[in-house]
C-alpha cells in the first residue's frame, strides 16, 4: 500500500519531473577543457568581465569599485567550461572567455569520449566562440529557440560542468529580461533564478520545448560562487554571431569612442530639461572617431540615423550595429539647443589612443560652496587643455565627494565651456537662480574625460 499522498510506483517520474527533457538534451551538451588559458587572478579568484568604464553620474569616484559580476569558468592554467552542439558535423558553441588565449582545447561528449577542438572564431563583443571537432559519426545537436518569446516566470533548465566535476543541470526560471550590466554594447541579458557555478560558462539554457533560448555567461556574486543570480546571453545574439563566424569570420562592429550614461532625472533637472530621454556623452577617447568629430562631453544624443535613443544602451547598440566606415547622423541636445552632427563610424577591432599633455594654472579663486580652488588664469594658446584647472580640493567638501583632485581640468559646467574660475562661478550662480541643487561637470584627468554631478548650495564664495 502506498504512503498517503505518495505514488504507488516508487521512483517513477512524476508529472513535475524533467528527467525526460534532460535525457533528450544531455547528449548535445559538452564539457570543454582549455589548456594554457588562465582567466584567474593571482589569488585564485575569477577575473571580472566588467571592463573599466566611466563611473555612473553622481558617484563618489571617477572609476567604479570592482564589480561582483564574474565569469563562471573555473581553473587556473586549465579552464573548464561547457558548450553545446548546434550541428551534427561537430560545431560547438561556448563563451569566448572559456577558450580565450588557449594553447589547446578539448571537447568531451556526454559518452565521455574526448576530441581535440579547433577554435573556428570568436566574437569578443558578445563573448561567443565557435569550435569544431572531427568525429566519425553524426552527433546529437540542439535546435535554436526564440528568446523573444520568453516571459518572466518561465521555467528553464541550465546545463554546465559545475566546478569541473562533470556535466550537471539545474532548474530555475527567468527572473528578469533585458538586463543591462554595463559590460558591452549588446547588454540584453536574461536574468536567471537558478544555481550557476564555476564551469557553467557556455552551457545552454533550455526552455520546456527542449530548445536553446540562451547561453550561461555570468553570475552575480560577492564571493565568486553562486548566490542564485545568473545571467545568460539571449539565443538571438548567440545565433547571429555563430552564423557570422561560420560564414565569413567574426562580425565587425562600429565604434565611436565615447563613454555614455543614460539621462537620469537628476541630470535632466540640473540641465533644466523636462524630457528624461537620451544618452549623455560622459567621455571621449583621444584619437577616436568621436574625438575627430564635433561631439563634446555632456552632449545628449537623442537619435542615430533617425532612430530614437532613450538610453545609453540604445546608443551603444545603434553604433555597434553600424558598419565601420559609414557615417552616423546624430541628433543631439547641447545647452538646450537641438543640433545635427555626422560622425564617421570606426572599427571596434582597432581602437586608437593618443598621448598626454599638461597645463598649469597661476592665480586661484576659492569657491567654499563646492570646496575647491580653481585657476583664474586662462590656459595659454598652445595648451592642450582648455578648461579650468583645479588647484586644490577641501577635505570633506562636495568636490572631494565626487572625486575631484588637484590637477583635474573642468571643461564645462552644465554643457557650457569654462576656461577660468569666474566662468565656473557664473554657471553655479545661474543654476542657483533656477533653484537647481547640482551642476553637471565635464572633467578631464590625463587623457580621460568623465562627467560628475556636483551638489551646490547657496553660500557666498570668497573672491
Amino acid at each position: 500500500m502506498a504512503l498517503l499522498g505518495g505514488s504507488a510506483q516508487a521512483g517513477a517520474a512524476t508529472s513535475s519531473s524533467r528527467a525526460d527533457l534532460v535525457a533528450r538534451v544531455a547528449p548535445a551538451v559538452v564539457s570543454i577543457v582549455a589548456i594554457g588559458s588562465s582567466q584567474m587572478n593571482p589569488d585564485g579568484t575569477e577575473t571580472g568581465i566588467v571592463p573599466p568604464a566611466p563611473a555612473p553620474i553622481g558617484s563618489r569616484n571617477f572609476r567604479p569599485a570592482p564589480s561582483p559580476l564574474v565569469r563562471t569558468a573555473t581553473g587556473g592554467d586549465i579552464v573548464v567550461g561547457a558548450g553545446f552542439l548546434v550541428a551534427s558535423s561537430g560545431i560547438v558553441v561556448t563563451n569566448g572567455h572559456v577558450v580565450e588565449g588557449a594553447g589547446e582545447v578539448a571537447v568531451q561528449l556526454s559518452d565521455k569520449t574526448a576530441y581535440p577542438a579547433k577554435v573556428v572564431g570568436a566574437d569578443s563583443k558578445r563573448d561567443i566562440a565557435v569550435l569544431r571537432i572531427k568525429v566519425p559519426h553524426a552527433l546529437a545537436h540542439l535546435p535554436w529557440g526564440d528568446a523573444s518569446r520568453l516571459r518572466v516566470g518561465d521555467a528553464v533548465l541550465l546545463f554546465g560542468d559545475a566546478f569541473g566535476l562533470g556535466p550537471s543541470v539545474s532548474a530555475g526560471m527567468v527572473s528578469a529580461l533585458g538586463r543591462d550590466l554595463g559590460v558591452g554594447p549588446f547588454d540584453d541579458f536574461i536574468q536567471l533564478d537558478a544555481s550557476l557555478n564555476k564551469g557553467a560558462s557556455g552551457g545552454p539554457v533550455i526552455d520546456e520545448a527542449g530548445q536553446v533560448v540562451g547561453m550561461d555567461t555570468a553570475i552575480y556574486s560577492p564571493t565568486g560562487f553562486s548566490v542564485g543570480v545568473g545571467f545568460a546571453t539571449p539565443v538571438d545574439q548567440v545565433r547571429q554571431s555563430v552564423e557570422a563566424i561560420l560564414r565569413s569570420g567574426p562580425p565587425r562592429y562600429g565604434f565611436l569612442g565615447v563613454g555614455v550614461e543614460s539621462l537620469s532625472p537628476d541630470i535632466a533637472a540640473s540641465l533644466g530639461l523636462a524630457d528624461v530621454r537620451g544618452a549623455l556623452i560622459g567621455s571621449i577617447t583621444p584619437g577616436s572617431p568621436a574625438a575627430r568629430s564635433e561631439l563634446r562631453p555632456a552632449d545628449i544624443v537623442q537619435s542615430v540615423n533617425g532612430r530614437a535613443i532613450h538610453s545609453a544602451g540604445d546608443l551603444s547598440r545603434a553604433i555597434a550595429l553600424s558598419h565601420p566606415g559609414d557615417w552616423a547622423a546624430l541628433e543631439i541636445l547641447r545647452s538646450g539647443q537641438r543640433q545635427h552632427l555626422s560622425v564617421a563610424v570606426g572599427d571596434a577591432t582597432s581602437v586608437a589612443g593618443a598621448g598626454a599633455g599638461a597645463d598649469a594654472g597661476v592665480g586661484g579663486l576659492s569657491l567654499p560652496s563646492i570646496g575647491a580652488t580653481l585657476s583664474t588664469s586662462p590656459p595659454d594658446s598652445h595648451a592642450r587643455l582648455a578648461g579650468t584647472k583645479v588647484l586644490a580640493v577641501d577635505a570633506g567638501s562636495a568636490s572631494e565627494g565626487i572625486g575631484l583632485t588637484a590637477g583635474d581640468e573642468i571643461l564645462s559646467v552644465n554643457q557650457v565651456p569654462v576656461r577660468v574660475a569666474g566662468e565656473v562661478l557664473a554657471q553655479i550662480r545661474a543654476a542657483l537662480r533656477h533653484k537647481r541643487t547640482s551642476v553637471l561637470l565635464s572633467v578631464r584627468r590625463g587623457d580621460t574625460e568623465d562627467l560628475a554631478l556636483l551638489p551646490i548650495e547657496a553660500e557666498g564664495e570668497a573672491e
Side-chain angles (χ1 to χ4, degrees):
M1 180 168 54
L3 296 174
L4 185 63
S7 170
Q9 295 181 337
T14 66
S15 60
S16 62
S17 173
R18 296 173 181 171
D20 290 341
L21 177 57
V22 171
R24 191 164 82 245
V25 171
V29 180
V30 304
S31 296
I32 296 173
V33 178
I35 302 171
S37 172
S38 177
Q39 300 293 335
M40 310 297 289
N41 292 319
D43 63 359
T45 59
E46 194 72 37
T47 55
I49 68 172
V50 181
I57 297 298
S59 68
R60 297 185 62 82
N61 299 292
F62 285 109
R63 294 291 160 190
S67 171
L69 189 70
V70 297
R71 291 170 170 153
T72 57
T74 187
D77 290 330
I78 298 177
V79 172
V80 179
F84 53 99
L85 287 149
V86 294
S88 61
S89 59
I91 301 299
V92 176
V93 179
T94 187
N95 274 137
H97 70 260
V98 173
V99 298
E100 181 181 356
E104 299 177 55
V105 179
V107 168
Q108 181 175 286
L109 304 179
S110 61
D111 62 5
K112 305 300 182 184
T113 57
Y115 298 88
K118 175 185 177 182
V119 179
V120 179
D123 182 348
S124 61
K125 291 295 181 185
R126 286 172 164 162
D127 194 20
I128 296 165
V130 178
L131 315 180
R132 178 180 281 116
I133 58 174
K134 291 185 178 180
V135 182
H137 54 84
L139 297 171
H141 60 283
L142 296 177
W144 298 113
D146 183 359
S148 68
R149 299 180 65 180
L150 284 177
R151 299 186 302 164
V152 174
D154 280 350
V156 289
L157 292 179
L158 287 70
F159 290 77
D161 189 333
F163 302 105
L165 297 172
S168 61
V169 61
S170 61
M173 73 174 186
V174 176
S175 56
L177 295 168
R179 283 295 192 222
D180 186 342
L181 305 178
V183 302
F186 297 106
D187 277 21
D188 188 26
F189 290 99
I190 304 166
Q191 183 175 320
L192 304 166
D193 179 12
S195 176
L196 270 179
N197 283 293
K198 296 175 184 291
S201 284
V205 180
I206 302 296
D207 65 11
E208 293 190 310
Q211 298 180 327
V212 180
V213 291
M215 181 170 66
D216 303 333
T217 298
I219 61 175
Y220 185 88
S221 170
T223 64
F225 297 96
S226 176
V227 293
V229 180
F231 300 97
T233 303
V235 70
D236 59 318
Q237 292 195 27
V238 178
R239 186 173 185 177
Q240 288 170 6
S241 294
V242 169
E243 291 177 349
I245 290 169
L246 292 175
R247 181 175 59 250
S248 57
R252 295 172 63 203
Y253 296 117
F255 164 75
L256 279 189
V258 294
V260 293
E261 299 285 346
S262 295
L263 190 62
S264 70
D266 285 345
I267 297 170
S270 74
L271 299 175
L273 301 176
D275 185 12
V276 185
R277 177 178 65 87
L280 188 69
I281 303 296
S283 62
I284 294 180
T285 303
S288 67
R292 295 188 291 271
S293 75
E294 296 179 18
L295 272 176
R296 299 176 188 169
D299 284 346
I300 301 168
V301 180
Q302 294 203 307
S303 75
V304 175
N305 295 331
R307 176 183 174 183
I309 300 299
H310 296 275
S311 65
D314 286 348
L315 177 60
S316 296
R317 283 186 286 273
I319 295 301
L321 292 174
S322 300
H323 191 273
D326 287 350
W327 286 83
L330 274 56
E331 182 182 30
I332 68 167
L333 280 179
R334 178 184 295 165
S335 301
Q337 301 298 312
R338 198 170 301 276
Q339 300 184 29
H340 294 83
L341 306 177
S342 291
V343 182
V345 178
D347 192 331
T349 60
S350 55
V351 178
D359 176 49
V362 183
L365 172 66
S366 175
L367 306 181
S369 65
I370 65 171
T373 300
L374 307 181
S375 170
T376 57
S377 301
D380 64 55
S381 60
H382 301 292
R384 181 180 67 92
L385 305 180
T388 302
K389 183 90 167 182
V390 178
L391 301 180
V393 174
D394 299 340
S397 66
S399 293
E400 183 187 55
I402 66 168
L404 278 179
T405 62
D408 289 343
E409 291 279 337
I410 299 176
L411 303 180
S412 68
V413 179
N414 282 350
Q415 299 181 301
V416 178
V418 292
R419 290 171 56 84
V420 292
E423 294 177 351
V424 175
L425 179 58
Q427 292 305 315
I428 290 174
R429 287 174 170 170
L432 289 171
R433 284 197 299 273
H434 287 89
K435 302 189 183 304
R436 297 172 189 166
T437 58
S438 60
V439 291
L440 184 66
L441 306 183
S442 175
V443 180
R444 178 175 286 168
R445 178 178 298 165
D447 286 327
T448 301
E449 294 179 17
D450 286 295
L451 294 179
L453 201 58
L454 176 69
I456 56 174
E457 53 186 33
E459 293 182 359
E461 287 83 11
E463 298 186 58

